[in-house]
Amino acid sequence: MREGWRKITLNRPEKLNSFTVELHRQLAAALDEAAADETCRAVLLTGAGRGFCAGQDLEEIGSEPSAVGDLLREHYNPLIRRIRALPKPVVCAVNGVAAGAGANLAFACDIVLAARRAKFIQAFAKIALVPDSGGTWFLPRLVGEARARALALTGEAVSAEQAESWGMIWRAVDDEELASEAEKLLAHLATQPTAALGLIKRALLASASNTLDAQLDLEAELQEAAAGMPDYAEGIAAFAEKRPARFTGQGA
Ligand code: T3D
């Protein structure tokens, strides 16, 4: 635990941090701990070694079609939902290749930084599978239909710089600066109004399926909740006193 934030490292570097059931269990437990820990105000997800995550461990994948579906229902889908629902920012530092579910795991995070050596690959079609872990939902929203279709159908790799210029990720940084840039961002997020950031995540998640009318109503509801929190009073006071705000991150 750092000052106000936690780092979670996918740690199977010899297999490019590809997912086994055990790795899923470890990651789910780490995310749940971060969610429950009130002193943790932001989460950093990264990978050990030269890769970020190569998706499903293809040596552990079941041969039964139902086993493949069950793995998604039991592990990948809850993972993506967990990250989206976590009421604090999740930053992903993509330290190397992100393939298959590994790429889509990164896209589920709130802010994605990537080392220039990183690349994003929708590897699924290459093994005759369908993009999962939210890939068919994230991609069109991030890069538009034309690019989403081509990437999903060809499995072509996208460099970190291309991903940044297409709006697929927040920023590509020099390889040797990824860790320090990520830590700087986490240190900043850990001083911010965490509960309000959690409400921002809720609003953005809901916007994907809401009408404008419904979203306007939700914004009013969430704004009322935010305005009832002590950090709002602190933000206003800090503005009036021309000083930096000292947010606690706590809810009402
Ligand atoms: O229910 C379900 O299970 C469905 C869920 C599906 C979710 C998915 O994610 S499906 C997609 C699975 N992932 C892939 O198809 C990617 C497979 N990997 C690759 O295409 C390449 O490894 C990469 C492009 C990611 C990286 O290439 P490169 O040349 O940098 O590294 P490498 O030499 O291929 O891999 C290094 C080692 O990691 C190597 O092991 P070795 O030979 O040194 O002992 C390789 O076998 C291993 N590795 C890489 N990816 C996986 C893997 N081992 C198991 N599973 C992997 N996915």
Side-chain angles (χ1 to χ4, degrees):
M1 172 83 175
R2 275 67 178 171
E3 189 68 27
W5 56 277
R6 282 179 182 235
K7 179 178 180 181
I8 301 175
T9 305
L10 304 174
N11 194 12
R12 296 186 71 227
E14 69 291 351
K15 296 292 175 190
L16 300 180
N17 305 314
S18 55
F19 272 108
T20 56
V21 167
E22 179 53 24
L23 182 58
H24 270 294
R25 291 201 174 113
Q26 290 169 0
L27 180 54
L31 287 167
D32 286 350
E33 279 172 28
D37 178 0
E38 282 190 9
T39 68
C40 169
R41 295 168 67 180
V43 178
L44 173 62
L45 178 64
T46 193
R50 74 174 176 90
F52 170 65
C53 175
Q56 171 62 31
D57 183 322
L58 296 176
E59 289 162 12
E60 203 189 81
I61 200 166
S63 53
E64 287 296 314
S66 65
V68 173
D70 286 346
L71 207 51
L72 293 180
R73 284 184 280 269
E74 285 167 29
H75 296 287
Y76 288 95
N77 295 356
L79 168 61
I80 302 304
R81 291 184 176 121
R82 217 176 226 108
I83 291 172
R84 286 274 152 152
L86 202 90
K88 29 191 117 171
V90 181
V91 174
C92 188
V94 182
N95 51 298
V97 66
N104 298 331
L105 167 62
F107 300 145
C109 296
D110 297 306
I111 303 178
V112 185
L113 298 177
R116 288 193 204 286
R117 71 168 177 223
K119 50 191 175 174
F120 299 85
I121 310 173
Q122 295 296 314
F124 305 89
K126 294 186 176 189
I127 53 168
L129 283 183
V130 176
D132 60 27
S133 306
T136 57
W137 194 91
F138 295 129
L139 274 182
R141 286 169 170 78
L142 289 170
V143 297
E145 277 287 320
R147 286 168 177 154
R149 282 172 187 273
L151 292 177
L153 294 171
T154 65
E156 197 173 293
V158 178
S159 69
E161 283 180 15
Q162 185 71 84
E164 179 188 314
S165 80
W166 281 357
M168 220 175 184
I169 63 168
W170 172 236
R171 197 166 281 161
V173 301
D174 289 341
D175 296 346
E176 58 282 4
E177 283 172 15
L178 179 69
S180 61
E181 285 297 317
E183 291 184 10
K184 218 186 299 171
L185 178 57
L186 268 290
H188 167 73
L189 290 169
T191 64
Q192 295 306 293
T194 315
L197 302 192
L199 297 182
I200 292 173
K201 283 187 69 165
R202 253 178 74 187
L204 290 171
L205 185 59
S207 79
S209 54
N210 264 349
T211 60
L212 174 60
D213 267 348
Q215 193 68 12
L216 290 170
D217 290 341
L218 178 66
E219 286 175 359
E221 182 195 317
L222 296 180
Q223 202 68 297
E224 211 170 290
M229 291 172 178
D231 278 343
Y232 172 63
E234 166 60 10
I236 295 292
F239 176 77
E241 293 159 24
K242 300 188 190 303
R243 60 167 175 82
R246 291 182 292 269
F247 294 121
T248 65
Q250 298 300 305

